[in-house]
């Protein structure tokens, strides 16, 4: 399980954020951890920094032409700038103390040292400080990994994110209930070119585990072309591409659809502002796509946060990635504002990934193909940033894309819990997609076996990230995992039953029962959801002819009844579903003196429809469960009650009834 030791390092000075040049005479104050404030000076003149930054570009302006810089010049400048930043860090004893505190905490824990990381939150109050490439630093000699690249060393992995004192990100959680949906904003005005195909392919592959698979249609065999066409429609539900993008077309699309991630693939270009030059993004003009319009970060933020046409919502992306040269480059400190990334972040976008130098086309593809699978899988974005930087460094030949990568981020106090919740919801979705593919009668057997193997891999990944300890929240997360294991293996058991593999079916059914019982143990201290796994365990015990469990039966009934009486919405509907199933199982676990009441079962089923609606998932899921008692677990003990439940949950309308029964 990943653990982050968060260190907040804030640089402050008197005066406004803009209109201040770097100078060895300027006193700065560093606030870090619990230590006293440290006053220090930065031994750089502003023109020296500008000269170094110019040498980190691949081309340098020379009169009316541009000259390609020799590789040796850039490579030596990377080392030179790394040393400059090292000397800044070396002056901060409070930072060094926090780093060694994290090392001590890591040593006290078992496991892979790479699972323990330092998150350095860099808070910069001056525009001139934002120009310094802190991500390029060499680790000071007295720190962990001394002498190595600060953000690449493995002695005590460190990840840096930037923010400002006045950042006020919108109230967006990393575990937003929205399913991820990506917008690709691409622009090639004025003869510019971007590797759009490679980026779209990388994003498409990243989304693969969560894209629905076309189901076979009533025995009709689809041609490969028809399947590809139907699959493409599902891809478009999660990935939209906006070519020849203008600021107006971005606003229009964001006002119509809700995107969680926005990937901007365009060139950086100079933008005149207040008599000074800074960097914007080169988009297309709306009236003439071949012409260029350079857009600032503030304008782009307004487009990405568009209001819907009915004024009922506003587009609120969680992540913006800028595969754009100089998108993290401030360039000038004389006027208010900052880089593209800075302006997007201060406008309220929680996470912005950008490049503070020119970004190579190959590097932009590498960044996208490495970053998005991790983000969409539910990895902590801080860990993803660390790994992507290392991958860029490892694959680099003659570039410094690894040092260009910069992230502006808002990290709330409960961010670890938000990340865990998102990872678990994404894993559930990926497992559902695998099982949907395996359940489809039209799926070839080799593909079914691959889907089932992938399901086990996902469960094992989830298991590896379970928290330890007896805290209620940790036990609840483990209970959710074991409940999902039980549900997954029950579905796999049903699949083997359909394939006439009785031995395998029984084996997975027993494994499912074991998982449900483990979930019951974990939920023993918090019984708010106990009745769900208890009912599943009672069901499988009856199916496998196990020993009756009257105590568990009565407890589950009490807890489900409480949800019916005190719950609202879906909670109340699920309570009725549980009581309907428990009523059917009562004779097995409580003895023949407790006969199942078919009318009670019908009443509970009608209540689910009244609460959630006939087309709701609650109705579909409950009906599917009772159908299993008729198709796969048929027994005279419950066949009449199960038929009554299915009949009550199936609409009288023939077309709707036929559609639902075909699921």
């Amino acid at each position: 399980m990943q653990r982050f030791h968060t260190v907040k390092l804030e640089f402050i000075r008197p005066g406004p954020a803009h209109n201040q040049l770097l100078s060895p005479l300027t006193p700065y104050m560093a606030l870090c951890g619990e230590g006293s404030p440290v006053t220090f000076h930065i031994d750089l003149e502003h023109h020296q920094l500008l000269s170094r930054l110019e040498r980190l570009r691949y081309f340098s302006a020379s009169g009316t032409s541009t000259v390609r810089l020799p590789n040796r010049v850039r490579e030596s400048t990377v080392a030179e700038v790394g040393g400059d930043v090292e000397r800044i860090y070396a002056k901060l004893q409070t930072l060094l103390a926090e780093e060694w505190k994290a090392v001590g905490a890591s040593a006290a824990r078992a496991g892979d040292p790479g699972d323990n990381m330092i998150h350095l939150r860099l808070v910069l109050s001056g525009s001139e400080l934002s120009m310094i490439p802190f991500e390029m630093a060499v680790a000071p000699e007295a720190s962990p990994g001394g002498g190595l690249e600060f953000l690449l060393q493995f002695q005590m992995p460190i990840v840096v994110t930037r923010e400002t004192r006045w950042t006020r990100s919108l109230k967006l959680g990393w575990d937003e209930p929205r399913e991820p949906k990506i917008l690709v904003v691409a622009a090639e005005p004025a003869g510019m070119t971007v590797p759009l195909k490679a980026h779209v392919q990388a994003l498409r592959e990243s989304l693969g585990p969560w894209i629905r698979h076309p189901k076979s249609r009533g025995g009709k065999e689809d041609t490969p072309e028809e399947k590809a066409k139907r699959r493409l429609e599902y891809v478009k539900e999660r990935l939209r591409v906006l070519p020849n993008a203008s600021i107006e077309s971005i606003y229009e699309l964001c006002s119509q659809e809700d995107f969680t991630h926005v990937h901007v693939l365009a060139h950086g270009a100079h933008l005149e502002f207040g008599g000074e030059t800074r960097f914007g993004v080169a988009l297309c003009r709306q009236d003439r796509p071949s012409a260029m319009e350079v857009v600032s970060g503030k304008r782009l933020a307004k487009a990405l946060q568009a209001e819907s046409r009915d004024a009922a919502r506003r587009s609120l992306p969680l992540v913006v990635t800028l595969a754009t040269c100089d998108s993290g480059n401030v360039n000038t400190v004389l006027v208010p504002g900052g880089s593209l990334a800075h302006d997007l972040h201060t406008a309220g976008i929680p996470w912005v990934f950008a490049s503070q130098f020119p970004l190579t086309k190959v590097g932009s593809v590498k960044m996208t193909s490495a970053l998005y699978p991790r983000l969409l899988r539910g990895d902590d974005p801080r860990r993803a940033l660390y790994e992507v930087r290392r991958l860029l460094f490892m694959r680099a030949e003659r570039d410094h894309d690894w040092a260009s990568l910069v992230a502006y981020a808002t990290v709330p106090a409960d961010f670890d819990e938000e990340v865990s919740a998102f990872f678990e919801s994404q894993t559930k979705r990926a497992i559902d997609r695998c099982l949907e593919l395996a359940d489809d009668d039209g799926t070839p057997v080799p593909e079914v076996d691959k889907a089932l193997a992938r399901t086990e891999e996902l469960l094992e990944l989830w298991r590896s990230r379970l928290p330890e300890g007896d805290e209620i929240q940790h036990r609840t997360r483990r209970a959710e995992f074991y409940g999902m294991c039980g549900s997954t293996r029950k579905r796999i058991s049903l699949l083997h039953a359909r394939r006439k593999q009785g031995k395998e079916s029984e084996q997975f059914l027993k494994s499912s029962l074991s998982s449900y019982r483990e979930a019951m143990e974990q939920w023993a201290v918090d019984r708010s959801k106990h009745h769900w796994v208890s009912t599943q365990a009672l069901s499988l015990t009856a199916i496998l002819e196990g020993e009756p469990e009257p105590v568990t039966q009565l407890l589950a009934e009490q807890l489900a009844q409480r949800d019916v009486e005190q719950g609202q919405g879906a909670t109340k509907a699920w309570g009725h579903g549980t009581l309907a199933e428990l009523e059917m199982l009562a004779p097995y676990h409580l003895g023949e003196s407790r006969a199942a009441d078919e009318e009670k079962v019908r009443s509970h089923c009608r209540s689910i429809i009244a609460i959630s609606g006939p087309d709701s998932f609650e109705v579909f899921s409950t009906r599917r469960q009772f159908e299993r008692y008729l198709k796969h677990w048929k027994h005279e003990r419950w066949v009449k009650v199960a038929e009554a439940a299915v009949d009550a949950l199936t609409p009288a309308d023939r077309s709707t009834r036929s559609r639902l029964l075909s699921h």
Side-chain angles (χ1 to χ4, degrees), residues 559-577:
L559 295 173
Q561 186 63 40
R562 185 184 63 182
D563 279 357
V564 166
E565 294 173 354
Q566 302 177 11
Q568 299 290 330
T571 299
K572 190 169 186 174
W574 289 122
H576 279 291

Side-chain angles (χ1 to χ4, degrees), residues 500-519:
K500 309 300 182 185
Q501 297 171 328
K503 183 178 180 180
E504 291 82 354
S505 177
E506 183 178 359
Q507 177 184 347
F508 274 95
L509 213 57
K510 290 178 178 178
S511 177
S512 174
L513 175 57
S514 177
S515 295
Y516 281 130
R517 284 178 172 159
E518 181 60 36

Side-chain angles (χ1 to χ4, degrees), residues 228-393:
K229 184 177 180 180
R230 292 170 61 198
R231 176 76 164 168
L232 181 60
E233 292 302 315
Y234 294 144
V235 171
K236 289 180 178 178
E237 293 176 356
R238 295 281 162 254
L239 178 64
R240 294 296 307 273
V241 179
L242 184 62
N244 300 320
S246 66
I247 192 69
E248 293 86 0
S249 63
I250 296 171
Y251 182 92
E252 182 66 19
L253 188 53
C254 288
S255 70
Q256 298 173 23
E257 302 182 41
D258 191 19
F259 298 99
T260 58
H261 299 67
V262 178
H263 184 65
V264 180
L265 178 59
H267 285 268
H270 287 106
L271 174 68
E272 293 294 328
F273 179 80
E276 294 295 318
T277 302
R278 60 176 21 136
F279 285 101
V281 58
L283 298 180
C284 300
R285 284 181 51 177
Q286 185 181 29
D287 57 345
R288 190 153 50 96
S290 62
M292 179 175 65
E293 179 179 11
V294 184
V295 175
S296 68
K298 292 180 180 180
R299 291 180 64 198
L300 181 59
K302 299 299 184 291
L304 296 178
Q305 296 169 350
E307 181 184 61
S308 63
R309 291 178 175 178
D310 60 2
R313 63 165 185 84
R314 186 175 293 281
S315 173
L316 298 173
L318 286 167
V319 176
V320 173
T321 48
L322 297 167
T324 306
C325 292
D326 297 296
S327 51
N329 190 339
V330 177
N331 198 55
T332 180
V333 301
L334 299 183
V335 291
S339 65
L340 267 168
H342 172 279
D343 288 346
L344 287 172
H345 187 56
T346 55
I349 295 174
W351 280 81
V352 183
F353 295 90
S355 173
Q356 56 187 327
F357 304 116
L359 182 65
T360 67
K361 289 184 177 180
V362 173
S364 72
V365 176
K366 291 176 180 176
M367 178 193 73
T368 304
S369 60
L371 180 62
Y372 269 89
R374 291 171 167 82
L375 292 181
L376 297 175
R377 182 174 62 190
D379 288 6
D380 192 301
R382 296 168 292 184
R383 181 62 180 259
L385 176 62
Y386 173 78
E387 293 297 339
V388 171
R389 194 183 302 279
R390 286 170 61 90
L391 287 170
L392 288 173
F393 179 83

Side-chain angles (χ1 to χ4, degrees), residues 557 579-587 592-606 626 637-638 640-642 644-645:
E557 289 179 355
L579 287 174
E581 190 170 358
L582 289 172
E583 184 66 27
M584 184 187 69
L585 295 170
E592 296 300 329
S593 60
R594 170 78 180 271
D597 188 331
E598 292 181 26
E599 187 51 42
K600 276 189 179 180
V601 172
R602 288 193 183 93
S603 177
H604 286 305
C605 292
R606 287 193 291 266
F626 278 106
R637 291 193 190 101
W638 49 64
K640 290 184 178 180
V641 181

Side-chain angles (χ1 to χ4, degrees), residues 36 46 53 149 166 316 320 325 388 410-411 508-509 533 560 568 577 583 661:
S36 300
H46 201 81
L53 296 180
E149 289 81 1
W166 51 87
L316 298 173
V320 173
C325 292
V388 171
T410 298
V411 181
F508 274 95
L509 213 57
V533 291
Q568 299 290 330
E583 184 66 27
L661 290 176

